[in-house]
Amino acid sequence: MCHSGKQKMPLGEEKNGKCDGSIYVNNPHLDSMTDDILYHFNLGTSTHDLPKMFGDVKFVCVGGSPWRMKSFTEYIAKELGLVDPNAEYPNICAGTDRYAMYKVGPVLSVSHGMGIPSISIMLHELIKLLYHARCTDVTVVRIGTSGGIGLKPGTVVVTKQSVDSLFQPHLEQTILGKPVVRSTELDKELAEELLQCGKELGEFEIIIGNTMCTLDFYEGQARLDGAFCSYSEEDKQNYLAEAYAAGVRNIEMESSVFAAMCKLSNLRAAVVCVTLLDRQKGDQLTSSHEVLNNYQQRPQALVGHYIKKKLNISKKS
Ligand code: URA
C-alpha cells in the first residue's frame, strides 16, 4: 500500500505499487496496528509525530558507520548552506545504540552497520518511517567502502547491478522456510546521473560496474587472511577473474538487500562505494589511515554534489 490511494496488493505478490513517488509497503497487517514501534530506531507512530519530523525528507543517505553518517551530515549541511553555528546535529536515535540517524533540511543520514541482516532490519524500519511520514519522491543512496577488482584503489564504483556470489542479479531470502528470490535491480538513470556528477567533480576516478554482495568479509570475498581458508592463492585469483569477466568491479556486503528492498518500496536507489584496495593484489588494508580516510570522503562528496545539483544550489556557502 502507498499513501496516494491506499490500494492493497494480494499477500505474496512481490511487485511494488508504482504509486507515483509514494513510498510503498506491502503488508496488510500494518493497517490493523494502532501503533507501530520502530524499535531499533527508538521511534514510534504514537510517541513521535513522524510526518512533522520527517515529512520533508527527499534524500536518504545510508552507510555502515554511525561516525561516518554524522560526518556526512556535517558535510552536507555546509554544502547546502544550512549550517547553524549553534547547532549540534543530534542523533535522532539517541535512545538506542543500534543505528544512528541525523537530519539536515531534506537530507536524512542513517547508519546501517555491517552485512545484510543489519542493513535489512534498518531498511524495514526506515521504509515504514518514510511511509508513516508520508514522504514522496525520495532518493536513497548507500555510500560505502568495498574491495575493488582490477581498479586503482580510491576508484568510486556506482553499482549497475548488485550480484550474488554466483554473479546473479538477485537476492535469495528464506521466508517461512521457503526461498524467495528478489530482484536487485537499481535505478539506471540515477546511476548515470551520479557518474556524470563524478565527472563534473573531476576529483577521482569513477566508473559504473557490477557489485558483488557477499555474506562475509573473509571467505565470502575469497580472502586468504581469515581465521579459516581451504583454498589456494590460485583458486582465489581464478574466482576474482571469473567475477571480473561477469562485470564485477567491486565487492561489499550490503548492496543486494538494499537494492531489493528499495525496489519493492518504490524508492529510487543507488549504491556508491569507493574501493579501498585491489583484491587481485592483496587482502589486507595496508594504506595509511589518512589515505583510507580520504578515499572514504569520495562517495559523500559525490552524493553532496548530486543533492546540490538536484536542489539547484550552485555555490558552496
Ligand atoms: N568492504 C568489503 O566488504 N570488502 C573490502 O575488501 C573492503 C571493504
Side-chain angles (χ1 to χ4, degrees), residues 1 7-15 24 26-28:
M1 55 191 163
Q7 75 219 53
K8 278 197 189 156
M9 296 288 291
L11 248 187
E13 253 189 63
E14 284 281 303
K15 280 186 234 134
Y24 188 76
N26 185 11
N27 180 359

Side-chain angles (χ1 to χ4, degrees), residues 143-183:
I143 54 171
T145 59
S146 61
I149 308 182
L151 298 176
K152 196 170 114 193
T155 303
V156 170
V157 180
V158 181
T159 303
K160 183 176 174 189
Q161 283 188 313
S162 172
V163 299
D164 64 12
S165 55
L166 297 172
F167 321 132
Q168 296 303 308
H170 61 225
L171 169 75
E172 186 174 306
Q173 214 177 325
T174 304
I175 301 176
L176 302 183
K178 295 191 182 73
V180 173
V181 177
R182 289 176 167 164
S183 162

Side-chain angles (χ1 to χ4, degrees), residues 252-269:
E252 48 76 270
M253 298 186 286
E254 291 86 14
S255 61
S256 62
V257 77
F258 171 82
M261 291 179 74
C262 289
K263 188 174 164 63
L264 285 175
S265 51
N266 206 23
L267 284 161
R268 246 186 133 211

Side-chain angles (χ1 to χ4, degrees), residues 145-147 217 221 223 251-253 276-277 279 285:
T145 59
S146 61
F217 186 84
Q221 297 189 6
R223 278 187 155 80
I251 314 175
E252 48 76 270
M253 298 186 286
L276 300 181
L277 75 170
R279 290 298 320 289
L285 289 156

Side-chain angles (χ1 to χ4, degrees), residues 205-222:
E205 287 178 30
I206 179 162
I207 61 152
I208 290 190
N210 290 345
T211 297
M212 180 161 73
C213 183
T214 65
L215 297 182
D216 92 311
F217 186 84
Y218 288 98
E219 290 165 289
Q221 297 189 6

Side-chain angles (χ1 to χ4, degrees), residues 273-286:
C273 289
V274 68
T275 60
L276 300 181
L277 75 170
D278 181 351
R279 290 298 320 289
Q280 289 177 317
K281 300 202 171 127
D283 295 331
Q284 299 232 312
L285 289 156
T286 51

Side-chain angles (χ1 to χ4, degrees), residues 9-77:
M9 296 288 291
L11 248 187
E13 253 189 63
E14 284 281 303
K15 280 186 234 134
N16 75 27
K18 296 263 183 263
C19 296
D20 303 330
S22 305
I23 312 299
Y24 188 76
V25 295
N26 185 11
N27 180 359
H29 306 288
L30 290 181
D31 264 352
S32 57
M33 287 163 55
T34 46
D35 182 18
D36 189 5
I37 298 167
L38 308 176
Y39 172 71
H40 301 87
F41 287 159
N42 197 33
L43 296 171
T45 51
S46 68
T47 48
H48 297 81
D49 185 345
L50 299 179
K52 187 165 173 221
M53 290 170 77
F54 300 104
D56 62 339
V57 168
K58 294 291 174 203
F59 305 95
V60 182
C61 204
V62 303
S65 111
W67 181 86
R68 213 192 300 148
M69 297 328 287
K70 179 162 193 198
S71 125
F72 173 76
T73 303
E74 289 161 355
Y75 172 80
I76 209 77

